[in-house]
């Protein structure tokens, strides 16, 4: 699955190749760890900020530091049964949001107790409850003895409880056309292709193998401005 629109299919890379553009980094892509298991969408569930997030697998166990980098989180998630995990929230994290539509669509699972939630998810209740109780002790002590999570929000202890099924999905292609610092697209001989400029995700090599969240915006703003200025001047 992909977090992106189905219309985004690499046409810019294909067009650039047709006029001799060189490519770089095409073997690398970034996954978004917390995506819809079927369609890859990002905004079809409920969770708080990283310090409040608790990830459990189908065995009812935490398996990772929820504050880790996206590549670490994605790799860990794919190693779980069916590549599925659940983000667990309680009333405090959910707030006053109406989740009825999400629940009807199967995007979240709601319950009045952790035991009921485990039953609805089909995970071992005893294991899950013990894991949440252990996590809450970490919140109190501010020390994650299992995975080293560095920051914590509130405990997960106030009903109703909510679980959002998640799985990694393709999020950002790290590879693309080669450009120079003036945003010229380079051919396979390392020469600028006259009149052809590129910026943003169509380019490769800017973020190496794993992009930091938010940095793609800086990328397309900076190189987009450079490309526009040079195209306007014909340089």
């Amino acid at each position: 699955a992909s977090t992106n629109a189905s219309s985004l299919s690499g046409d810019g890379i294909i067009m650039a190749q047709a006029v001799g553009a060189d490519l770089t980094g095409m073997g690398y892509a970034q996954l978004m760890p917390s995506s819809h298991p079927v369609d890859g969408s990002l905004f079809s569930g409920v969770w708080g900020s990283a310090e409040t997030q608790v990830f459990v697998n189908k065995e009812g166990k935490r398996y990772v530091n929820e504050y880790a980098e996206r590549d670490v989180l994605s790799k860990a998630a794919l190693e779980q049964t069916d590549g599925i995990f659940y983000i667990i929230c309680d009333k405090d994290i959910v707030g006053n949001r109406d989740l009825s539509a999400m629940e009807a669509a199967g995007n979240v699972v709601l319950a009045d107790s952790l035991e009921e939630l485990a039953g609805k998810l089909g995970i071992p209740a005893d294991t899950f409850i013990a894991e949440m109780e252990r996590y809450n002790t970490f919140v109190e002590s501010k020390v994650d003895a299992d995975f080293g999570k560095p920051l914590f929000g509130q405990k997960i202890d106030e009903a109703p409880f909510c679980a959002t099924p998640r799985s990694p999905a393709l999020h950002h292609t790290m590879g693309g056309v080669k450009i120079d610092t003036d945003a010229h697209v380079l051919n396979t001989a390392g020469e600028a292709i006259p009149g052809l400029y590129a910026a943003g995700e169509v380019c490769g090599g800017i973020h190496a193998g794993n992009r930091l969240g938010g940095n793609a915006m800086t990328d397309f703003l900076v190189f987009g401005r450079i490309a526009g200025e040079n195209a306007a001047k014909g340089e």
Side-chain angles (χ1 to χ4, degrees), residues 3 6 20 22 24-25 36 50 61 68 71 93 97 102 105 109 145 175-176 183 192-193 195 200 203 207 219:
T3 64
S6 59
D22 198 6
T24 184
H36 191 284
K61 299 279 291 184
D71 56 336
I93 298 171
R97 283 176 282 187
M102 284 190 182
V109 178
I193 299 174
C203 304
H207 306 281
D219 170 12

CSV table of all heavy atoms in Angstrom, one decimal, residues 3 6 20 22 24-25 36 50 61 68 71 93 97 102 105 109 145 175-176 183 192-193 195 200 203 207 219:
chain,number,residue,atom,x,y,z
A,3,THR,N,0.9,5.6,0.9
A,3,THR,CA,0.2,6.8,1.5
A,3,THR,C,-0.2,7.8,0.5
A,3,THR,O,-0.9,8.8,0.8
A,3,THR,CB,1.1,7.4,2.6
A,3,THR,OG1,2.2,8.0,2.0
A,3,THR,CG2,1.5,6.4,3.7
A,6,SER,N,-3.1,7.6,-5.9
A,6,SER,CA,-2.8,6.6,-6.9
A,6,SER,C,-2.3,7.2,-8.3
A,6,SER,O,-1.7,6.5,-9.1
A,6,SER,CB,-4.1,5.8,-7.2
A,6,SER,OG,-5.2,6.6,-7.6
A,20,GLY,N,17.3,11.3,-21.5
A,20,GLY,CA,18.7,11.0,-21.1
A,20,GLY,C,19.1,11.2,-19.7
A,20,GLY,O,20.3,11.2,-19.3
A,22,ASP,N,20.0,10.9,-15.9
A,22,ASP,CA,20.5,9.8,-15.0
A,22,ASP,C,19.7,9.7,-13.7
A,22,ASP,O,19.1,10.7,-13.3
A,22,ASP,CB,22.0,10.2,-14.6
A,22,ASP,CG,22.8,9.0,-14.2
A,22,ASP,OD1,22.2,7.8,-14.2
A,22,ASP,OD2,23.9,9.2,-13.7
A,24,THR,N,19.4,8.2,-9.5
A,24,THR,CA,20.2,7.8,-8.4
A,24,THR,C,19.3,7.4,-7.2
A,24,THR,O,18.2,7.9,-7.1
A,24,THR,CB,21.1,8.9,-7.9
A,24,THR,OG1,22.0,8.5,-6.8
A,24,THR,CG2,20.4,10.2,-7.5
A,25,GLY,N,19.8,6.4,-6.4
A,25,GLY,CA,19.0,6.1,-5.2
A,25,GLY,C,17.7,5.3,-5.5
A,25,GLY,O,16.9,5.2,-4.6
A,36,HIS,N,-2.8,2.8,7.2
A,36,HIS,CA,-3.9,1.9,7.2
A,36,HIS,C,-3.5,0.6,6.5
A,36,HIS,O,-2.8,0.6,5.5
A,36,HIS,CB,-5.0,2.5,6.3
A,36,HIS,CG,-6.3,1.8,6.4
A,36,HIS,ND1,-6.6,0.6,5.7
A,36,HIS,CD2,-7.5,2.0,7.1
A,36,HIS,CE1,-7.8,0.2,6.0
A,36,HIS,NE2,-8.4,1.0,6.8
A,50,ALA,N,4.0,11.1,19.8
A,50,ALA,CA,4.8,9.9,20.1
A,50,ALA,C,4.9,9.6,21.5
A,50,ALA,O,5.0,8.4,21.9
A,50,ALA,CB,6.2,10.2,19.5
A,61,LYS,N,1.6,-7.7,22.9
A,61,LYS,CA,2.8,-7.3,23.5
A,61,LYS,C,3.4,-6.0,22.8
A,61,LYS,O,3.2,-5.9,21.6
A,61,LYS,CB,3.9,-8.4,23.3
A,61,LYS,CG,3.6,-9.7,24.0
A,61,LYS,CD,3.8,-9.6,25.5
A,61,LYS,CE,5.3,-9.6,25.8
A,61,LYS,NZ,5.6,-9.6,27.3
A,68,ALA,N,11.1,5.7,18.1
A,68,ALA,CA,12.2,5.4,17.2
A,68,ALA,C,12.0,6.1,15.9
A,68,ALA,O,10.9,6.5,15.5
A,68,ALA,CB,12.4,3.9,17.1
A,71,ASP,N,12.3,4.3,9.9
A,71,ASP,CA,12.9,3.0,9.4
A,71,ASP,C,12.9,1.9,10.4
A,71,ASP,O,12.6,0.8,10.1
A,71,ASP,CB,14.2,3.2,8.7
A,71,ASP,CG,15.3,3.8,9.7
A,71,ASP,OD1,14.9,4.5,10.6
A,71,ASP,OD2,16.5,3.6,9.4
A,93,ILE,N,-6.6,10.6,25.5
A,93,ILE,CA,-5.9,10.8,24.2
A,93,ILE,C,-6.9,11.0,23.1
A,93,ILE,O,-6.7,11.9,22.3
A,93,ILE,CB,-5.0,9.6,23.9
A,93,ILE,CG1,-3.9,9.5,25.0
A,93,ILE,CG2,-4.4,9.8,22.5
A,93,ILE,CD1,-3.1,8.2,24.8
A,97,ARG,N,-13.5,13.6,20.4
A,97,ARG,CA,-13.8,13.3,19.0
A,97,ARG,C,-14.9,12.3,18.9
A,97,ARG,O,-14.9,11.3,19.6
A,97,ARG,CB,-12.5,12.8,18.3
A,97,ARG,CG,-11.5,13.9,18.0
A,97,ARG,CD,-10.2,13.4,17.4
A,97,ARG,NE,-9.4,12.8,18.5
A,97,ARG,CZ,-8.1,12.4,18.3
A,97,ARG,NH1,-7.6,12.4,17.0
A,97,ARG,NH2,-7.4,11.9,19.3
A,102,MET,N,-15.5,6.2,12.1
A,102,MET,CA,-14.3,5.4,12.0
A,102,MET,C,-14.6,4.0,12.5
A,102,MET,O,-14.1,3.0,11.9
A,102,MET,CB,-13.2,6.0,12.8
A,102,MET,CG,-12.5,7.2,12.2
A,102,MET,SD,-11.1,7.7,13.1
A,102,MET,CE,-10.5,9.1,12.2
A,105,ALA,N,-16.5,2.0,10.0
A,105,ALA,CA,-15.7,1.7,8.8
A,105,ALA,C,-14.7,0.6,9.2
A,105,ALA,O,-14.0,0.1,8.3
A,105,ALA,CB,-15.0,2.9,8.2
A,109,VAL,N,-11.2,0.4,16.8
A,109,VAL,CA,-12.0,-0.6,17.6
A,109,VAL,C,-12.1,0.1,19.0
A,109,VAL,O,-11.1,0.5,19.6
A,109,VAL,CB,-11.3,-1.9,17.7
A,109,VAL,CG1,-12.1,-2.9,18.6
A,109,VAL,CG2,-11.1,-2.5,16.3
A,145,ALA,N,11.9,0.3,30.8
A,145,ALA,CA,12.9,-0.8,31.0
A,145,ALA,C,12.9,-1.8,29.9
A,145,ALA,O,13.9,-2.7,29.8
A,145,ALA,CB,12.5,-1.5,32.3
A,175,GLY,N,14.8,7.7,-4.3
A,175,GLY,CA,15.5,7.8,-5.6
A,175,GLY,C,14.8,8.7,-6.6
A,175,GLY,O,13.6,9.1,-6.4
A,176,GLY,N,15.5,9.1,-7.6
A,176,GLY,CA,14.9,9.9,-8.7
A,176,GLY,C,16.0,10.4,-9.6
A,176,GLY,O,17.1,9.9,-9.6
A,183,ALA,N,19.8,22.9,-9.7
A,183,ALA,CA,18.6,22.2,-10.0
A,183,ALA,C,18.5,21.8,-11.5
A,183,ALA,O,17.5,21.4,-12.0
A,183,ALA,CB,17.4,23.0,-9.7
A,192,ALA,N,24.6,18.8,-17.6
A,192,ALA,CA,23.2,19.4,-17.5
A,192,ALA,C,22.4,19.2,-18.8
A,192,ALA,O,23.0,19.5,-19.9
A,192,ALA,CB,23.3,20.8,-17.1
A,193,ILE,N,21.2,18.8,-18.7
A,193,ILE,CA,20.3,18.7,-19.9
A,193,ILE,C,19.7,20.1,-20.1
A,193,ILE,O,19.0,20.6,-19.2
A,193,ILE,CB,19.2,17.6,-19.7
A,193,ILE,CG1,19.9,16.3,-19.5
A,193,ILE,CG2,18.3,17.6,-20.9
A,193,ILE,CD1,18.9,15.2,-19.1
A,195,GLY,N,17.6,23.2,-20.5
A,195,GLY,CA,16.1,23.5,-20.3
A,195,GLY,C,15.4,22.6,-19.4
A,195,GLY,O,14.2,22.8,-19.2
A,200,GLY,N,12.2,18.5,-5.7
A,200,GLY,CA,11.2,17.7,-4.9
A,200,GLY,C,11.4,16.2,-5.0
A,200,GLY,O,12.6,15.8,-5.3
A,203,CYS,N,13.4,14.0,-7.6
A,203,CYS,CA,14.9,14.0,-7.5
A,203,CYS,C,15.3,12.9,-6.6
A,203,CYS,O,14.6,12.5,-5.6
A,203,CYS,CB,15.5,15.3,-7.0
A,203,CYS,SG,15.0,16.7,-8.0
A,207,HIS,N,18.1,13.2,0.2
A,207,HIS,CA,17.9,12.7,1.5
A,207,HIS,C,18.6,11.4,1.8
A,207,HIS,O,18.3,10.7,2.8
A,207,HIS,CB,16.4,12.6,1.8
A,207,HIS,CG,15.6,13.8,1.6
A,207,HIS,ND1,15.6,14.9,2.4
A,207,HIS,CD2,14.9,14.2,0.5
A,207,HIS,CE1,14.9,15.9,1.9
A,207,HIS,NE2,14.4,15.4,0.7
A,219,ASP,N,13.2,20.7,1.0
A,219,ASP,CA,13.8,20.3,-0.3
A,219,ASP,C,13.1,20.9,-1.5
A,219,ASP,O,13.7,21.6,-2.3
A,219,ASP,CB,13.7,18.7,-0.4
A,219,ASP,CG,14.0,18.1,-1.7
A,219,ASP,OD1,14.5,18.9,-2.6
A,219,ASP,OD2,13.7,16.9,-1.9
